[in-house]
């Protein structure tokens, strides 16, 4: 008898003409590579298949030039010329015994057609509903347009089969395609047979599903991804609508895949929503169809996954982010190694790849997007090149990742950390409001390091240059990685002020001070103190510190030169939630404003457009502007190069924030890069050190 407690997750699931080898289902997800980075994309999906995901899907695939979402980069199936690129992917997925799915999307109102330039089409005359307010309007589709769309969809289904896909999706989710737009009263104001009642609004979906089933003719399964609630009551797709859809169309496709609202509602970060947050919206829908049901929820706990299946909420464990953070999640559960899962931290750095049109990266999984480009793998490491040993100084994300990856490569490694705990900035930042899941960056690496005999860790071991050089000769270290991190600046230098900000007469704090427990009004708390936060960093830190201080009873005014608070978090789909939370907490927001100096009662400010000066009252100032590398150790060691030979040292390299302060994802990636390139660093290389997809002319 199989004693795996999660056996239920390993059961086969038949659907349509197919059988999935287990319940792990990599749902469609964007990746910033799409049609541009063909082989990089194919290998990224292939590693998921290798890691045991029974079904591996593309992101939304554009089916026709008249509906494209430039500048975003998704896969395309506009005509036959796009088939070979997708064939590369299906072959790579099939190589590892998984089923390949494609999500056919006619973007409709969501596609501004910046490349093809033809007027977009939707149910109604409306401005396009993309992520940027493009000055483009979609036109209402005529019956002839609808007939064209049905033909184009059929052609895309045919091409999908030619490209080797096993599962073809009709996409009605996330407000990202015409099926959703027709279903939703928010967008569909038609008065003909395609508008009004829910029966009419689902007509296009019905037709596309029937067309697709006919077109695949048993050669592939048909899936439908659909938004189960837009959270807008009767003005949007409601629970009643979806129950009606399942009542009418529930038996037409071979599989249903349920998502929440728009993409922002579906892919909530851990700062704003828990694992399994969609359960209450999906519960009960499975009873309305005999077909298997996929659901998502940033699942990383096998207990939660098994419970969802046992309780009959879903049949397939759908995952985008958990499969990005750990492509081997299914294999680890199957092999009884669930505690080795590299859990997603819910930061949405992966989403920022799509939003910035750059290849997907992941905070937890630095090999994401590098499978083909650099030959990195999430689990398999190249054996060490030489019998060398390495000293890594500093156990933040960069040092932890470097030590772990070096250990996995077989290098004898010593990791030293000056403080009493591992984790560096993640250990500190995970204590801030809403960021507790970020501690998983440390948890995963610490548990891996515990299993690696080649790596020893020492806490409370601050290293000076003398100590590094003497321990190199004493213990035979060949190489040193300096991962000593960075500190926030207290002089206001950043994007807006590239020279120091003149502040006097009021106490100044940095994020490091606050994370170390200092408070504007003194300890234990600062209730009643009026604190100004100057956020010229624009990622999460300014907003999170506003929450921290407000929770403790401070009056908080957040001043930022950007037009909105935490402006970069548009790319992690959090900005609207951050603004709402701060406003709900009565944090005063002063956007398009910069701090220019201090005044009698606080600070002098200036409008970033007009330069007009103003004043705000404040008892203290928190500067969230930029950081400086803590690189004195690296600089001193590099300056003493002539002593290396005597100590037996071959290289000293600053990595992570000690090289250039950046995101946690960037520090983890640098740690991995150091371990990957240790024998042949590429920093001075004339040649591009990774593969690119080049257009053949
Ligand atoms: P990164 O993001 O690059 O990993 P962090 O700031 O998170 O950087 O981590 C740097 C770590 O290095 C911190 O835990 C810090 O205590 C440690 N550290 C800094 N200087 C030294 C030193 N001289 N010796 C040992 N550890 C150090
Ligand atoms: Fe999860 Fe963050 Fe990785 Fe995305 S980038 S998969 S949210 S850990």
């Amino acid at each position: 008898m199989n004693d795996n407690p999660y056996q239920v997750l390993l059961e086969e699931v038949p659907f349509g003409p197919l059988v999935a080898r287990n319940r792990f289902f990599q749902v469609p997800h964007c990746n910033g590579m799409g049609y541009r980075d063909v082989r990089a994309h194919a290998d990224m999906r292939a590693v998921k298949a290798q890691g045991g995901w029974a079904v591996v899907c593309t992101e939304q695939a554009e089916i026709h030039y008249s509906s494209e979402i430039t500048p975003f980069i998704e896969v395309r199936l506009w005509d036959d010329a796009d088939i070979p690129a997708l064939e590369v992917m299906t072959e790579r997925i099939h190589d590892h015994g998984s089923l390949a799915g494609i999500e056919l999307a006619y973007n409709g109102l969501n596609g501004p057609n910046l490349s093809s330039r033809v007027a977009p089409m939707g149910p109604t005359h409306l401005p396009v509903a993309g992520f940027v307010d493009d000055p483009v309007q979609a036109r209402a589709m005529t019956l002839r347009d609808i007939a064209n769309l049905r033909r184009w969809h059929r052609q895309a289904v045919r091409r999908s089969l030619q490209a080797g896909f096993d599962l073809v999706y009709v996409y009605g989710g996330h407000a990202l395609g015409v099926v959703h737009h027709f279903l939703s009263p928010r967008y569909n104001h038609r008065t003909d047979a395609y508008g009004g009642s829910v029966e009419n609004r689902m007509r296009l979906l019905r037709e596309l599903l029937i067309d697709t089933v006919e077109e695949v003719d048993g050669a592939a399964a048909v899936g439908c991804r659909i938004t189960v609630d837009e959270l807008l009551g009767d003005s949007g797709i409601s629970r009643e609508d979806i129950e009606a859809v399942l009542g009418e169309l529930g038996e037409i496709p071979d599989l249903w895949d349920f998502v929440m609202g728009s993409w922002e509602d579906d892919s909530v970060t851990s700062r704003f929503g828990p694992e399994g947050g969609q359960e209450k919206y999906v519960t009960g829908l499975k009873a309305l169809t005999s077909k298997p049901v996929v659901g998502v929820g940033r699942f990383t706990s096998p207990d939660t996954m098994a419970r969802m299946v046992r309780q009959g909420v879903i049949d397939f464990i759908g995952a985008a982010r958990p499969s990005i953070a750990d492509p081997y999640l299914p294999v680890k559960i199957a092999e009884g190694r669930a505690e080795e899962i590299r859990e997603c931290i819910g930061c949405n750095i992966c989403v920022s790849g799509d939003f910035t049109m750059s290849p997907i990266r992941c905070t937890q999984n630095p090999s994401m997007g590098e499978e083909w480009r650099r030959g990195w793998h999430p689990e398999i490491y190249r054996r060490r090149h030489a019998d060398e040993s390495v000293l890594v100084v500093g156990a933040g994300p960069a040092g932890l990742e470097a030590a772990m990856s070096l250990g996995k490569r077989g290098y004898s490694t010593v990791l030293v950390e000056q403080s009493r705990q591992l984790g560096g900035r993640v250990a500190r930042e995970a204590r801030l409001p809403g960021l507790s899941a970020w501690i998983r960056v440390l948890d995963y690496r610490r548990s891996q390091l515990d299993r690696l005999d080649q790596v020893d860790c020492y806490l409370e071991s601050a290293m000076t240059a003398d100590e590094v050089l003497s321990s190199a000769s004493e213990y035979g270290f060949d190489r040193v990685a300096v991962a000593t991190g960075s500190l926030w600046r207290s002089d206001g230098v950043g994007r807006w002020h590239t020279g120091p900000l003149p502040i006097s007469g009021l106490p100044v704090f940095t994020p490091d001070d606050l994370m170390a427990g200092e408070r504007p009004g003194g300890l234990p708390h600062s209730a009643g103190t009026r604190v100004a936060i100057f956020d010229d960093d624009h990622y999460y830190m300014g907003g999170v510190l506003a929450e921290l201080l407000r929770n403790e009873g401070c009056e908080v005014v957040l001043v930022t030169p950007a037009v909105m608070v935490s402006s970069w978090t548009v790319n992690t789909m959090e900005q609207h939630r951050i603004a709402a939370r701060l406003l709900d907490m009565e944090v005063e927001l002063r956007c398009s404003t910069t701090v220019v100096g201090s005044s009698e009662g606080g600070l002098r400010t200036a409008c970033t457009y007009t330069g007009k000066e103003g004043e705000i009252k404040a008892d203290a100032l928190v500067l969230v502007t930029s950081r400086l590398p803590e690189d004195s150790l690296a600089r001193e060691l590099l300056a003493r190069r002539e002593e290396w030979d005597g100590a037996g040292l071959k290289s000293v390299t600053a990595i992570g924030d000690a090289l250039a302060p950046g995101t946690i994802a960037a520090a983890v990636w640098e740690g991995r890069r150091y371990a990957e390139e240790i024998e042949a660093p590429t920093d001075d290389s004339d040649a591009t050190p990774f593969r690119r997809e080049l257009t053949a002319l």
Side-chain angles (χ1 to χ4, degrees), residues 16-204:
L18 308 173
V19 178
R21 62 179 146 139
N22 58 41
R23 295 184 186 272
F24 295 103
F25 194 115
Q26 183 247 274
V27 294
H29 70 76
C30 297
N31 50 81
M33 299 196 283
Y35 65 83
R36 182 190 58 203
D37 302 306
V38 173
R39 281 168 290 180
H41 188 183
D43 276 16
M44 180 271 278
R45 302 287 184 196
V47 169
K48 312 265 197 107
Q50 195 182 11
W53 297 88
V55 184
V56 176
C57 299
T58 61
E59 67 278 26
Q60 59 187 103
E62 293 175 358
I63 65 168
H64 197 252
Y65 76 88
S66 65
S67 186
E68 47 89 11
I69 54 170
T70 303
F72 296 99
I73 300 175
E74 321 297 326
V75 288
R76 286 177 172 168
L77 208 40
W78 291 5
D79 53 41
D80 287 354
D82 290 315
I83 294 173
L86 288 169
E87 238 171 340
V88 174
M89 184 189 302
T90 57
E91 278 171 16
R92 300 286 290 113
I93 293 170
H94 291 156
D95 282 347
H96 298 288
S98 297
L99 302 168
I102 183 166
E103 185 182 58
L104 300 182
Y106 192 82
N107 303 289
L109 278 175
N110 186 238
N113 289 349
L114 299 179
S115 176
S116 69
R117 301 181 184 179
V118 299
M121 294 189 282
T124 313
H125 288 290
L126 272 177
V128 291
F131 294 101
V132 184
D133 294 328
D134 297 290
V136 176
Q137 276 205 202
R139 64 181 178 84
M141 293 171 85
T142 61
L143 293 183
R144 184 191 174 105
D145 294 325
I146 291 175
N148 284 339
L149 167 60
R150 290 181 61 183
R151 197 176 62 256
W152 298 333
H153 199 274
R154 275 181 181 269
Q155 289 166 354
V157 174
R158 231 170 287 151
R159 292 184 181 119
S160 302
L161 298 182
Q162 277 174 267
F165 285 99
D166 309 285
L167 163 68
V168 181
Y169 263 103
V170 176
Y171 184 36
H174 298 133
L176 294 181
V178 74
V179 170
H180 180 123
H181 302 141
F182 268 75
L183 256 182
S184 173
R186 176 187 186 188
Y187 300 113
N188 184 342
H189 310 155
R190 298 174 78 96
T191 51
D192 65 0
Y194 289 88
S197 66
V198 66
E199 283 70 29
N200 282 356
R201 285 184 277 120
M202 75 172 88
R203 188 174 309 279
L204 180 64

Side-chain angles (χ1 to χ4, degrees), residues 268-270 298 300 320-326 342-352 360-365 368 438 441 665:
V268 179
T269 57
S270 55
R298 223 173 59 239
T300 58
R321 290 172 292 177
S323 77
I324 294 167
D326 197 342
R342 196 187 303 104
E343 290 185 288
C344 167
I345 71 167
C347 62
N348 278 7
I349 280 291
C350 49
V351 172
S352 75
I360 185 170
R361 80 183 315 168
C362 168
T363 301
Q364 276 285 57
N365 173 12
M368 181 48 46
W438 292 19
V441 173

